[in-house]
Amino acid sequence: MDKLTIIGAGVAGLAIATEITDRGGKVRLVDQHARPGAHACSWWAGGMLAPYCERESAEEPVLRLGLEAADWWQAKTGTVTRNGSLVLALDRDQADLRRFARRTTGFTEMTDPQISELEPDLAGRFRAGLFFGDEAHLAPRAALTALTDRLADKGVTIETAPQPAQTTIDCRGLSARDALTDLRGVKGEMLILHCPDVALNRPVRLLHPRIPLYIVPRGDGVFMLGATMIEATERGRVTVRSVLEMLSAAYALHPGFGEAEILEIGVDARPAFADNLPRIRRRGDTVFANGLYRHGFLLAPALARMVADHVLDGKTPEVMDENHG
Amino acid sequence: MRRFYGTELANPLMLGTAQYPSPAILAEAFRASNAAVATLSLRRESGSDNAGQVFWSLIRDLGVPLLPNTAGCHTVKEAVTTAHMARELFETPWIKLEVIGHTDTLQPDVFALVEAARILTEDGFQVFPYCTEDLVVAERLLHAGCQVLMPWGAPIGSGLGLNNEHGLRSLRAHFPDVAMVVDAGIGLPSHAARAMELGFDAVLLNTAVAKAGDPVQMARAMAMAAQAGQAAHQADPMEPRDMAAPSTPVIGKAFLT
């Protein structure tokens, strides 16, 4: 069989290359940047593998397909931490916690002593919370690098210029807007902090009617804070308002974050279709896999499986809405 | 029927476009409710090079008259600048003027509001000011050139309903010829119906629909409630009374024998 050319080595391209290679297919992986890095929006991701929590605002496939993620990432990269995730709200926002509970499954209700047991540093700070014990998280940059190295071990290195190919799998994310005109960007801003004064064992979401926040521990006192959701395609320009809001939410979670060092402020735009669900489209010899939205690490394994099912076995997967072979 | 700067609304529901789970659900909510006007915010979405244009074109495709707003503006200058951007982008003189005075309650700064309304009206804008139910503020806004008023029911996003029904009733009675929309605070269809029963010309809501578990169903419910309230107002409802008043004459009925 001819080699398949995959364009774009972000989370989608790397996952698809891995899946196809592991199933015996031959791929070339092309990205002008040669290594995963700041040019891909997955570099800035939170890395929460939280299908139950995401169901609060996402549609059903995100939960079902997202349940595949933790096992896949663990098998391919060994970077997964399975500690669940914790959802909290300040006293005055308890209504948001009740709403979150109504719209999700897979959690246990927690009271202050139970929260303290899970996260000793949050002892006495929250009256109630929801613990999603089956959720997991990973460090996105480590995971992307691990996939890259694993592919290299199997003879797939990232090439910087495409060769003529029989079939191309286009994983360019937002850059594919030249072909996918219904793709839009949803801007996200995030921060990375170093805060050895605070220890958290798992991602914590702090609900708020206007400024929801999540904090993902990266180990060694490093935390990722995210993320804004703005209907805009621009991939730069972090605003003071966004940073202020995220930092004050972190400070509300634990005042210890007031002493944190700001290591990075990041921004990019997530590629999304109108229903915020991913799509596979075949047009001639090109297969587009795109629209992972804020679910890059959560849905890339399912997307990779479905692309592989299509290009290797000729199947029509559920998220394929166009097939002009 | 009172008009909005010469425009008659197809129905009494104005719907916001923020905070939906996805643009697809937003579009479905508009179809289900048949909302007459779509409000949209451009402050956050407008970055360099009008980065929100893909989202805006999704909203334009709804085929509903657009009412851009100045949500998130805290000063006269910000609000005026945002209004100018909106007019340029959406080619409409309509602007829903919001000048926020308090970050926690998002309460309008009515002093800055009157000032911004005067500047914008002189510049040819047709201003829909988001105000409180205060009569004096309303008067000042009308003097500043506004022909529409948008008093709040309760703070933005609170879903508390009509916090000061007496105030809203009094506002309605004092300015019988001015088109008025109850904007903000509506959480349930019964709130929307109540506002319309009081004689308001429309209700504007966003969070109640966007943050409902099923936004499409809630949009439909809000549309039905607003229409029911409007029809009830037009039907001149009966006056409530303390005594029971049987609707069927009792003379000659068996119980008298």
Side-chain angles (χ1 to χ4, degrees), chain A residues 41-48 137-141 188-195 200 202-205 213-219 221-228 246-247 250 253 257 263-264 266-267 270:
Chain A
C41 76
S42 38
W43 192 253
W44 304 104
M48 290 188 295
H137 67 283
L138 51 70
R141 296 174 187 181
E189 295 141 293
M190 58 83 90
L191 291 131
I192 297 181
L193 306 181
H194 181 234
C195 185
L200 295 176
R202 53 186 56 75
V204 175
R205 293 181 188 231
L213 173 88
Y214 56 79
I215 296 192
V216 189
R218 294 270 200 258
V222 175
F223 296 87
M224 181 271 182
L225 255 68
T228 54
M246 285 190 280
L247 288 177
L253 183 76
F257 283 110
L263 298 180
E264 280 182 65
V267 57
R270 315 160 177 94

Coordinates of all heavy atoms in Angstrom, one line a residue, chain A residues 41-48 137-141 188-195 200 202-205 213-219 221-228 246-247 250 253 257 263-264 266-267 270:
Chain A
C41 N -2.2 24.7 18.3 CA -2.9 25.1 19.5 C -2.9 24.0 20.6 O -3.2 24.3 21.7 CB -4.3 25.6 19.1 SG -5.5 24.3 18.7
S42 N -2.7 22.7 20.2 CA -2.6 21.7 21.2 C -1.5 21.9 22.2 O -1.5 21.4 23.3 CB -2.5 20.3 20.6 OG -1.7 20.3 19.5
W43 N -0.5 22.7 21.8 CA 0.7 23.0 22.7 C 0.1 23.8 24.0 O 0.7 23.7 25.0 CB 1.7 23.9 21.9 CG 3.0 24.1 22.6 CD1 3.4 25.2 23.2 CD2 4.0 23.1 22.7 NE1 4.7 25.0 23.7 CE2 5.1 23.7 23.4 CE3 4.2 21.7 22.3 CZ2 6.3 23.1 23.7 CZ3 5.4 21.1 22.6 CH2 6.4 21.7 23.3
W44 N -1.0 24.5 23.8 CA -1.5 25.4 24.8 C -2.7 24.7 25.6 O -3.3 25.4 26.4 CB -2.0 26.7 24.2 CG -0.9 27.4 23.5 CD1 -0.7 27.4 22.1 CD2 0.3 28.0 24.0 NE1 0.4 28.1 21.8 CE2 1.1 28.4 22.9 CE3 0.7 28.3 25.3 CZ2 2.3 29.1 23.1 CZ3 1.9 29.0 25.5 CH2 2.7 29.4 24.4
A45 N -2.9 23.4 25.3 CA -4.1 22.8 25.9 C -4.0 22.6 27.4 O -2.9 22.6 27.9 CB -4.3 21.5 25.1
G46 N -5.1 22.3 28.0 CA -5.1 22.0 29.4 C -4.7 20.5 29.6 O -4.1 20.2 30.7
G47 N -5.1 19.6 28.7 CA -4.8 18.2 28.9 C -5.7 17.5 29.9 O -5.3 16.4 30.4
M48 N -6.9 18.0 30.1 CA -7.8 17.3 30.9 C -8.5 16.2 30.1 O -9.0 16.5 29.0 CB -8.9 18.3 31.5 CG -8.4 19.2 32.5 SD -9.7 20.2 33.2 CE -10.3 21.1 31.8
H137 N -5.9 13.2 33.6 CA -5.3 14.3 32.9 C -3.8 13.9 32.4 O -3.3 12.9 32.9 CB -5.3 15.6 33.7 CG -4.4 15.5 35.0 ND1 -4.8 14.8 36.1 CD2 -3.2 16.0 35.2 CE1 -3.8 14.9 37.0 NE2 -2.8 15.7 36.5
L138 N -3.3 14.8 31.5 CA -1.9 14.5 31.1 C -1.3 15.9 30.8 O -2.0 16.9 30.8 CB -1.9 13.7 29.8 CG -2.8 14.0 28.6 CD1 -2.3 15.3 27.9 CD2 -2.8 12.9 27.6
A139 N 0.0 15.9 30.6 CA 0.7 17.1 30.3 C 0.9 17.2 28.8 O 1.6 16.3 28.2 CB 2.1 17.1 31.0
P140 N 0.1 18.1 28.1 CA 0.1 18.1 26.7 C 1.4 18.1 26.0 O 1.6 17.3 25.0 CB -0.7 19.3 26.3 CG -1.5 19.6 27.5 CD -0.7 19.1 28.7
R141 N 2.4 18.9 26.4 CA 3.6 19.0 25.7 C 4.4 17.7 25.8 O 5.0 17.2 24.8 CB 4.4 20.1 26.2 CG 3.7 21.4 25.9 CD 4.4 22.6 26.6 NE 3.5 23.8 26.4 CZ 3.8 25.0 26.8 NH1 5.0 25.2 27.4 NH2 3.0 26.0 26.6
G188 N -8.7 31.1 22.9 CA -8.5 30.7 24.3 C -7.2 31.3 24.8 O -6.1 31.3 24.1
E189 N -7.2 31.9 26.0 CA -6.0 32.4 26.6 C -5.7 31.5 27.9 O -6.7 31.1 28.5 CB -6.2 33.8 27.0 CG -6.4 34.8 25.8 CD -7.4 35.9 26.1 OE1 -8.6 35.5 26.2 OE2 -7.1 37.0 26.1
M190 N -4.5 31.3 28.2 CA -4.1 30.5 29.3 C -2.9 31.0 30.0 O -2.1 31.8 29.4 CB -4.0 29.0 28.9 CG -2.9 28.8 27.8 SD -1.3 28.6 28.4 CE -1.2 26.9 28.7
L191 N -2.6 30.5 31.2 CA -1.4 30.9 31.9 C -0.7 29.7 32.5 O -1.4 28.7 32.8 CB -1.8 31.8 33.1 CG -2.3 33.2 32.8 CD1 -3.5 33.4 33.6 CD2 -1.2 34.2 33.2
I192 N 0.6 29.7 32.6 CA 1.3 28.7 33.3 C 2.0 29.4 34.5 O 2.7 30.4 34.3 CB 2.3 28.0 32.4 CG1 1.5 27.2 31.3 CG2 3.1 26.9 33.2 CD1 2.3 26.4 30.4
L193 N 1.7 28.8 35.7 CA 2.3 29.4 36.9 C 3.2 28.4 37.6 O 3.0 27.2 37.5 CB 1.1 29.7 37.9 CG 0.0 30.6 37.4 CD1 -1.0 30.8 38.5 CD2 0.5 31.9 36.9
H194 N 4.1 29.0 38.3 CA 4.9 28.1 39.2 C 4.6 28.6 40.7 O 4.7 29.7 41.0 CB 6.4 28.3 39.0 CG 7.3 27.5 39.9 ND1 8.3 28.0 40.7 CD2 7.3 26.1 40.1 CE1 8.8 27.0 41.4 NE2 8.2 25.9 41.0
C195 N 4.0 27.6 41.4 CA 3.5 28.0 42.7 C 3.8 26.8 43.7 O 2.9 26.0 44.0 CB 2.0 28.2 42.6 SG 1.3 28.8 44.2
L200 N -1.8 20.5 44.4 CA -3.1 19.9 44.0 C -2.8 18.6 43.3 O -1.8 18.5 42.6 CB -3.8 20.8 43.0 CG -4.3 22.2 43.5 CD1 -5.0 23.0 42.4 CD2 -5.4 22.0 44.6
R202 N -5.0 16.9 41.3 CA -5.9 16.6 40.1 C -6.4 17.9 39.6 O -6.3 19.0 40.3 CB -7.0 15.7 40.5 CG -7.8 16.4 41.7 CD -8.9 15.4 42.2 NE -8.4 14.1 42.6 CZ -7.7 13.9 43.7 NH1 -7.4 14.8 44.6 NH2 -7.3 12.6 44.0
P203 N -6.9 17.9 38.4 CA -7.5 19.2 37.8 C -8.7 19.6 38.7 O -9.5 18.8 39.2 CB -8.0 18.8 36.5 CG -7.2 17.6 36.1 CD -6.9 16.9 37.4
V204 N -8.8 20.9 38.9 CA -9.8 21.5 39.7 C -10.5 22.5 38.9 O -9.9 23.4 38.3 CB -9.3 22.2 41.0 CG1 -10.5 22.9 41.7 CG2 -8.6 21.1 41.9
R205 N -11.9 22.4 38.8 CA -12.7 23.4 38.1 C -13.4 24.2 39.1 O -14.0 23.7 40.0 CB -13.7 22.7 37.2 CG -13.1 21.9 36.0 CD -14.3 21.3 35.2 NE -13.7 20.4 34.2 CZ -14.0 20.5 32.9 NH1 -14.9 21.3 32.5 NH2 -13.4 19.6 32.1
L213 N -13.2 28.6 35.6 CA -11.7 28.5 35.5 C -11.4 27.0 35.8 O -12.1 26.3 36.5 CB -11.0 29.3 36.6 CG -9.5 29.1 36.8 CD1 -8.8 30.0 35.9 CD2 -9.1 29.3 38.2
Y214 N -10.3 26.5 35.1 CA -9.8 25.2 35.6 C -8.3 25.4 35.8 O -7.6 26.2 35.2 CB -10.1 24.1 34.6 CG -9.7 24.2 33.2 CD1 -8.4 24.0 32.8 CD2 -10.6 24.6 32.2 CE1 -8.0 24.2 31.5 CE2 -10.2 24.7 30.9 CZ -8.9 24.5 30.6 OH -8.5 24.7 29.2
I215 N -7.8 24.6 36.8 CA -6.4 24.6 37.1 C -5.9 23.1 37.0 O -6.5 22.2 37.6 CB -6.1 25.1 38.5 CG1 -6.6 26.6 38.6 CG2 -4.7 24.9 38.9 CD1 -6.1 27.3 39.8
V216 N -4.9 22.9 36.2 CA -4.4 21.5 36.0 C -3.0 21.5 36.6 O -2.1 22.2 36.1 CB -4.4 21.1 34.5 CG1 -4.0 19.7 34.4 CG2 -5.7 21.4 33.8
P217 N -2.7 20.6 37.6 CA -1.4 20.5 38.1 C -0.5 19.8 37.1 O -0.9 18.8 36.5 CB -1.6 19.6 39.3 CG -2.8 18.9 39.1 CD -3.7 19.7 38.2
R218 N 0.7 20.3 36.9 CA 1.6 19.7 35.9 C 2.8 19.0 36.6 O 3.7 18.6 36.0 CB 2.2 20.8 35.0 CG 1.2 21.4 34.1 CD 1.2 20.7 32.8 NE 0.6 21.5 31.7 CZ -0.6 21.4 31.3 NH1 -1.4 20.5 31.8 NH2 -1.1 22.2 30.3
G219 N 2.8 19.1 38.0 CA 3.9 18.5 38.7 C 5.0 19.6 39.0 O 5.0 20.6 38.3
G221 N 5.2 21.8 41.2 CA 4.7 23.1 41.5 C 4.3 23.9 40.3 O 4.0 25.1 40.5
V222 N 4.1 23.3 39.2 CA 3.7 24.0 38.0 C 2.2 23.8 37.7 O 1.7 22.6 37.9 CB 4.5 23.6 36.8 CG1 4.0 24.3 35.5 CG2 6.0 24.0 37.0
F223 N 1.5 24.8 37.4 CA 0.0 24.7 37.1 C -0.3 25.4 35.8 O 0.2 26.4 35.5 CB -0.8 25.4 38.3 CG -0.6 24.8 39.6 CD1 0.5 25.2 40.4 CD2 -1.4 23.8 40.1 CE1 0.7 24.6 41.7 CE2 -1.3 23.2 41.3 CZ -0.2 23.6 42.1
M224 N -1.3 24.8 35.2 CA -1.8 25.5 34.0 C -3.2 26.0 34.4 O -4.0 25.3 35.0 CB -2.0 24.4 32.8 CG -2.5 25.0 31.6 SD -4.3 24.9 31.5 CE -4.6 25.6 29.9
L225 N -3.5 27.3 34.0 CA -4.7 27.9 34.3 C -5.4 28.2 33.0 O -4.8 28.8 32.1 CB -4.5 29.3 34.9 CG -4.7 29.5 36.4 CD1 -3.6 28.7 37.1 CD2 -4.5 31.0 36.7
G226 N -6.7 27.8 32.9 CA -7.3 28.1 31.6 C -8.8 28.2 31.8 O -9.3 28.0 32.9
A227 N -9.4 28.4 30.8 CA -9.0 29.1 29.6 C -10.2 29.9 29.1 O -11.3 29.5 29.3 CB -8.5 28.1 28.5
T228 N -9.9 31.0 28.5 CA -11.0 31.8 28.0 C -11.6 31.1 26.7 O -11.0 30.3 26.1 CB -10.6 33.2 27.6 OG1 -9.5 33.1 26.7 CG2 -10.2 33.9 28.8
M246 N -8.7 35.3 35.0 CA -8.2 34.0 35.4 C -7.4 34.0 36.6 O -7.5 33.1 37.5 CB -7.4 33.5 34.2 CG -8.2 33.0 33.0 SD -7.2 32.1 31.8 CE -6.4 33.4 30.9
L247 N -6.6 35.1 36.8 CA -5.8 35.1 38.0 C -6.6 35.4 39.3 O -6.3 34.8 40.3 CB -4.7 36.2 37.9 CG -3.6 35.9 36.9 CD1 -2.6 37.0 36.8 CD2 -2.8 34.6 37.3
A250 N -8.1 32.1 40.2 CA -7.1 31.3 40.9 C -6.9 31.7 42.3 O -6.8 30.9 43.2 CB -5.8 31.3 40.1
L253 N -9.6 30.5 44.4 CA -9.5 29.1 44.7 C -8.5 28.9 45.9 O -8.8 28.1 46.8 CB -9.0 28.3 43.5 CG -8.9 26.8 43.7 CD1 -10.2 26.2 43.7 CD2 -8.0 26.2 42.7
F257 N -1.9 31.2 45.4 CA -1.6 31.6 44.0 C -1.2 33.0 43.8 O -0.6 33.4 42.8 CB -2.8 31.2 43.1 CG -2.9 29.8 42.8 CD1 -3.9 29.0 43.3 CD2 -1.9 29.1 42.0 CE1 -4.1 27.7 43.0 CE2 -2.0 27.7 41.8 CZ -3.1 27.0 42.3
L263 N 4.9 31.9 34.6 CA 5.9 31.4 33.7 C 5.6 31.7 32.2 O 6.5 32.0 31.4 CB 6.1 29.9 33.9 CG 6.5 29.4 35.2 CD1 6.6 27.9 35.2 CD2 7.9 30.0 35.6
E264 N 4.3 31.6 31.9 CA 4.0 31.8 30.5 C 2.5 32.3 30.4 O 1.7 32.0 31.2 CB 3.9 30.4 29.7 CG 5.3 29.9 29.3 CD 5.1 28.6 28.5 OE1 4.5 28.6 27.4 OE2 5.6 27.6 29.0
G266 N -0.2 32.2 27.4 CA -0.4 31.7 26.1 C -1.7 32.0 25.4 O -2.7 32.4 26.1
V267 N -1.8 32.0 24.1 CA -3.0 32.2 23.4 C -3.0 31.5 22.1 O -2.0 31.4 21.4 CB -3.3 33.8 23.2 CG1 -2.1 34.4 22.5 CG2 -4.6 34.1 22.5
R270 N -8.9 27.7 18.8 CA -9.3 26.3 18.6 C -10.1 26.2 17.3 O -11.0 26.9 17.1 CB -10.1 25.7 19.7 CG -9.6 26.1 21.1 CD -10.7 25.9 22.1 NE -10.3 26.2 23.5 CZ -10.5 27.4 24.1 NH1 -11.0 28.4 23.5 NH2 -10.2 27.6 25.4

